[in-house]
Amino acid sequence: MNDYGHDLLFGSFPSPVRRPARHAVDLAVASERAGLDLVTFQDHPYHPGFHDTSTLLTYAAAKTRRIALSGNVTSLPLRPPLGLARAAATVDRLSEGRFRLGIGAGASWDGVEAMGGRRLGAGQSISALREAIGIIRDGWDTDRSEPLRHEGRFYRVADGARGPRPYHPIPIWVGAYKPRMLDLTGAVADGWLPSLEYIEDGLRGIADGNARIDEAAVRAGREPSSVRRMMNFMRTGLGPAGQGFLDGPPEMWIDRLTALALDHGISAFIIGGDDPGLITRFGAEIAPAVRENVAQARRRVRQH
């Protein structure tokens, strides 16, 4: 077993389309009714067919009562770190602790630049993300009375106002694939949030990514288990076995997700797509079975 011991989370990844206007919000409500733990939305503000994700998250939080919410992942180049910290803390307070901060170093640089963001190289964007995570956490630290000041390579904050304090400690989940981003995740993040379809070499790539994160965490003086391992699944279907990892009968889903949890330490499973029927079955049928399988395996380990 390569189990980091986290509680299991099951979530959805609806498209943030703007027509019909309430599409994504309706699927957030459906996810909550299905018993899912988390609803997430991609953040591509330059896409003309999408809502603004930060506003969508706020509205979805107001229309739900229990489910947690996150960007998957928030585009840092279009969100000033201290402003992002304030926005995240505000939604977290209003929703009584249901906000999670998924964040990425940036993608689709033509779109970012078209909206006024800076185009950065790969190495620059990773350094900027590390710098931004420090600013965000400093912004949440209201135990310090002095204004926030930061002089960095990519960001400057002069006498910035701290706060508000989040309702609960907001975890920062990073979308990462390449070695330097995996190192950053192990060193400073609270979670690894990739999509399976973008991981090279499939299960071997997950194992390699975990090892890289573990090593970076140890170098930073952290326990590897302090980083939750998560996974998006974008090609899914319930029915005869198909091409996707989660494209087949429920029994296949249950077996494969159980194995991911126990053999690879994945503790959060997020399915893409806009099918409310699939969301309902995922929450009502598949998630409970995976939870029970993993709980039984963990009990056996403790007994021995």
Side-chain angles (χ1 to χ4, degrees):
M1 291 177 63
N2 185 27
D3 179 8
Y4 296 94
H6 292 273
D7 57 314
L8 300 188
L9 302 177
F10 296 84
S12 63
F13 196 176
S15 304
V17 294
R18 61 185 179 89
R19 290 196 181 96
R22 289 179 55 95
H23 171 83
V25 175
D26 289 342
L27 288 175
V29 172
S31 299
E32 180 168 84
R33 288 175 178 166
L36 296 184
D37 307 290
L38 179 67
V39 60
T40 70
F41 306 108
Q42 60 183 290
D43 181 38
H44 297 292
Y46 36 78
H47 192 301
F50 286 173
H51 281 310
D52 171 70
T53 296
S54 59
T55 308
L56 174 60
L57 285 164
T58 304
Y59 193 84
K63 294 298 180 179
T64 52
R65 293 292 175 266
R66 179 195 55 79
I67 199 165
L69 308 100
S70 178
N72 192 353
V73 288
T74 300
S75 178
L76 174 64
L78 292 173
R79 315 283 180 183
L82 192 56
L84 179 57
R86 182 174 292 265
T90 298
V91 180
D92 195 58
R93 290 170 68 89
L94 292 173
S95 66
E96 298 185 328
R98 293 189 287 128
F99 190 79
R100 315 290 185 259
L101 182 56
I103 194 168
S108 303
W109 290 103
D110 288 344
V112 168
E113 197 170 43
M115 292 196 70
R118 289 181 295 177
R119 181 185 290 270
L120 298 176
Q124 291 177 316
S125 67
I126 295 167
S127 298
L129 177 58
R130 185 184 290 262
E131 193 175 317
I133 288 173
I135 295 170
I136 290 167
R137 289 198 171 120
D138 279 347
W140 290 336
D141 184 4
T142 57
D143 290 334
R144 299 172 63 180
S145 59
E146 72 274 16
L148 197 160
R149 300 183 180 91
H150 177 87
E151 289 284 349
R153 179 182 174 192
F154 297 96
Y155 298 105
R156 178 177 183 273
V157 180
D159 295 332
R162 300 177 188 271
R165 179 192 292 272
Y167 185 90
H168 85 306
I170 297 175
I172 297 178
W173 299 335
V174 172
Y177 298 94
K178 300 297 185 181
R180 286 188 60 188
M181 280 291 286
L182 294 168
D183 289 344
L184 177 150
T185 302
V188 302
D190 303 302
W192 179 33
L193 182 54
S195 295
L196 181 63
E197 290 78 8
Y198 298 149
I199 294 178
E200 295 181 3
D201 298 326
L203 296 180
R204 168 54 60 186
I206 296 174
D208 291 345
N210 274 333
R212 186 101 189 186
I213 291 169
D214 291 351
E215 292 165 4
V218 170
R219 287 197 302 270
R222 310 173 72 201
E223 290 292 331
S225 60
S226 64
V227 184
R228 178 189 282 279
R229 316 305 160 100
M230 316 174 72
M231 193 64 62
N232 297 313
F233 305 89
M234 305 311 296
R235 292 197 293 270
T236 60
L238 283 172
Q243 296 295 317
F245 184 81
L246 294 183
D247 189 4
E251 296 78 13
M252 185 192 81
W253 284 52
I254 293 165
D255 290 345
R256 290 186 172 184
L257 294 182
T258 299
L260 278 178
L262 298 176
D263 298 339
H264 295 279
I266 305 300
S267 61
F269 311 96
I270 303 169
I271 59 168
D274 299 327
D275 181 353
L278 179 61
I279 288 171
T280 297
R281 293 189 68 183
F282 186 51
E285 183 177 346
I286 295 167
V290 177
R291 289 187 201 278
E292 180 57 28
N293 287 350
V294 172
Q296 288 181 4
R298 287 173 172 175
R299 284 195 293 269
R300 288 194 295 269
V301 169
R302 288 195 296 268
Q303 290 168 359
H304 291 85

